[in-house]
């Protein structure tokens, strides 16, 4: 299916240029939405059909729609970036398409063909290209998602689905006022267990993290960090980001994938960029007690979280029921953290060569 198969229904009354410019000055994150959305239907026996770009509008939904009762839902997060020449580009959209299909399979949903996924995000960016912020750190955040839309009550995979893409002009993800974030170690809640849905990007994983995240905020922290569900010892990931550790010998460690950790595209990119720079990288388990000891001894020099929304974010302090500890000086990003972040952002925005073919120029 090619881009020409998308039916284009332009918004009859889009936001005017002056109002849009004002909205893009300081859009925050996830609150400023574009004029259009992509919609594709699926029905068992018919497959995917009627791909279209239309005016963004509320969804009319029957109260017996199966997603409301059995939570068959998945999503992706990706960005369109303004490049140095005034154009726009996507970063590794093929990886998002592949992960979206893998999430669908885990949730017993029909995988959207990867070429159709790619055409859908291209079509939305083409329709809403003027919504891409030009300021540093700004981007057009793209949210492809799919949910079960069959009207029935009964525990079985749905026979009908709706796939959509919406766009949101965004600025920086964190607004804490400091260059580092603070974490709360959750002792009471876990994010995912072996055999569960931890590697799928489904809404249920995030819903399960919200109570722990609220606990972190009540304790004055920006984010929660989860331990494994079996031993409650091994560091896994944050509520919505992967985590990295940098040691005094220059090496880097990140928890290994194994079904309980989301295979982040930013995570994979950081691993590649670090190795490109000659950094020794290990994917291995790292215990919370070891993290505390290494931070206090100085063996651990830096730690950072990463993801599409927040990019690369330095971690300054960690709090838990067993006491708090600081990483480095606690208030600034480490040298390697900054170096990796700069390398990644420069590729995304066309400021540096792209040796791995990650960037797809759109216009």
């Amino acid at each position: 299916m090619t881009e020409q198969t998308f039916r284009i229904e332009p918004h009859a009354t889009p936001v005017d240029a002056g109002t849009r410019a004002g909205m893009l000055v300081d859009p925050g994150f996830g609150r400023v939405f574009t004029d259009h959305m992509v919609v594709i239907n699926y029905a068992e026996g018919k497959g995917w059909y009627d791909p279209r770009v239309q005016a963004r509008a509320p969804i009319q939904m029957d109260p017996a729609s199966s997603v409301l009762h059995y939570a068959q839902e998945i999503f992706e997060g990706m960005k369109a970036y303004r490049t140095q020449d005034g154009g726009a580009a996507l970063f590794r959209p093929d990886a998002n398409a592949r992960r979206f299909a893998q999430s669908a399979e885990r949730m017993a949903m029909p995988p959207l063909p990867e070429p159709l996924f790619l055409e859908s995000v291209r079509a939305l960016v083409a329709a809403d290209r003027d919504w891409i912020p030009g300021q540093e750190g700004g981007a057009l955040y793209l949210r492809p998602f799919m949910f079960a839309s069959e009207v029935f009550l009964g525990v079985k995979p749905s026979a009908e689905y709706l796939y959509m893409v919406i766009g949101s002009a965004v600025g920086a993800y964190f607004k804490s006022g400091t260059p580092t974030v603070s974490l709360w170690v959750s002792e009471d809640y876990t994010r995912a267990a072996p055999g569960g849905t931890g590697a799928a990007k489904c809404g249920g994983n995030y819903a399960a993290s919200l109570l722990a995240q609220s606990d972190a905020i009540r304790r004055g922290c920006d984010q929660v960090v989860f331990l494994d569900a079996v031993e409650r010892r091994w560091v896994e990931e944050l509520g919505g980001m992967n985590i990295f550790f940098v040691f005094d010998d220059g090496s880097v460690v990140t928890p290994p994938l194994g079904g309980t950790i989301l295979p982040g595209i930013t995570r994979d990119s950081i691993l590649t960029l670090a190795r490109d720079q000659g950094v020794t990288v290990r994917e291995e388990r790292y215990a919370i007690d070891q993290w505390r000891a290494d931070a206090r001894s100085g063996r651990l020099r830096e730690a950072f979280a990463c993801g599409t929304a927040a990019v690369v974010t330095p971690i300054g302090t960690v709090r838990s029921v067993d006491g708090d500890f600081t990483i480095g000086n606690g208030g600034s990003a480490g040298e390697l953290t900054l170096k990796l972040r700069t390398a990644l952002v420069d590729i995304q925005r066309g400021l540096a060569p792209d040796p791995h073919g990650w960037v797809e120029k759109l216009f």
Side-chain angles (χ1 to χ4, degrees):
M1 187 173 284
T2 64
E3 185 177 351
Q4 286 69 33
T5 63
F6 276 79
R7 177 160 46 91
I8 309 297
E9 301 174 356
H11 200 301
T13 56
V15 175
D16 67 83
T19 301
R20 184 178 61 239
M23 296 168 72
L24 295 183
V25 171
D26 184 19
F29 197 95
R31 296 186 179 276
V32 174
F33 295 98
T34 67
D35 292 310
H36 297 89
M37 63 185 185
V38 167
V39 183
I40 311 176
N41 297 85
Y42 177 90
E44 197 171 90
K46 185 175 183 178
W48 296 100
Y49 66 96
D50 195 18
R52 57 203 183 273
V53 178
Q54 63 185 58
R56 184 179 181 275
I59 302 169
Q60 186 172 5
M61 182 179 292
D62 190 285
S65 296
S66 58
V67 66
L68 300 177
H69 305 272
Y70 309 112
Q72 269 189 296
E73 181 272 347
I74 59 172
F75 68 95
E76 272 299 318
M78 54 198 301
K79 289 177 178 176
Y81 301 90
R82 184 69 68 187
T83 52
Q84 190 178 29
D85 60 7
L90 298 172
F91 182 74
R92 302 189 68 181
D94 55 327
N96 291 100
R98 186 164 53 251
R99 187 172 65 182
F100 194 72
Q102 292 167 348
S103 294
E105 290 172 353
R106 177 62 183 86
M107 301 298 289
M109 304 168 78
L112 184 75
E114 292 180 21
L116 186 53
F117 177 100
L118 294 170
E119 290 295 349
S120 72
V121 296
R122 293 168 186 149
L124 185 64
V125 176
D128 288 334
R129 59 193 294 171
D130 293 333
W131 285 91
I132 306 175
Q135 71 265 36
E136 183 179 355
L140 180 61
Y141 184 81
L142 302 168
R143 172 53 62 86
F145 63 102
M146 173 172 41
F147 63 89
S149 56
E150 184 181 1
V151 178
F152 81 102
L153 296 178
V155 184
K156 72 173 186 66
S158 176
E160 297 175 4
Y161 297 86
L162 201 62
Y163 168 80
M164 307 179 71
V165 189
I166 57 175
S168 175
V170 301
Y173 185 75
F174 287 112
K175 291 286 188 180
S176 64
T178 63
T180 63
V181 294
S182 56
L183 306 183
W184 171 255
V185 181
S186 180
E187 303 279 353
D188 299 322
Y189 307 103
T190 60
R191 177 186 171 275
T197 60
K201 200 166 177 66
C202 62
N205 291 341
Y206 294 82
S209 74
L210 295 179
L211 188 57
Q213 175 64 25
S214 297
D215 191 27
I217 292 172
R218 281 196 305 271
R219 296 172 184 274
C221 296
D222 298 300
Q223 266 282 339
V224 62
V225 59
F226 289 103
L227 306 179
D228 73 291
V230 178
E231 298 182 60
R232 304 292 183 95
R233 178 189 177 197
W234 305 103
V235 179
E236 293 219 316
E237 64 174 91
L238 277 60
M241 291 176 283
N242 297 119
I243 189 167
F244 282 78
F245 306 96
V246 182
F247 297 94
D248 56 2
D249 63 357
S251 66
V252 171
V253 164
T254 192
L257 303 179
T260 61
I261 293 175
L262 185 73
I265 294 163
T266 306
R267 173 189 182 276
D268 183 71
S269 303
I270 290 293
L271 288 172
T272 300
L273 292 172
R275 289 171 177 140
D276 286 349
Q277 296 179 12
V279 176
T280 299
V281 178
R282 301 186 301 277
E283 295 180 66
E284 61 185 31
R285 297 199 297 176
Y286 191 55
I288 181 62
D289 53 350
Q290 190 64 53
W291 186 6
R292 181 180 292 105
D294 288 344
R296 289 174 174 168
S297 72
R299 177 173 178 259
L300 180 75
R301 296 295 176 83
E302 309 171 31
F304 62 87
C306 68
T308 297
V311 195
V312 174
T313 302
I315 298 166
T317 57
V318 181
R319 299 174 183 171
S320 75
V321 294
D322 294 322
D324 305 346
F325 58 92
T326 300
I327 299 161
N329 64 17
S332 62
E335 181 180 352
L336 185 58
T337 300
L338 286 175
K339 187 176 180 180
L340 291 172
R341 187 186 193 283
T342 299
L344 177 64
V345 171
D346 284 356
I347 291 174
Q348 289 173 335
R349 299 185 181 275
L351 300 173
D354 176 25
H356 301 286
W358 286 340
V359 175
E360 178 185 329
K361 194 79 164 63
L362 296 176
F363 52 83

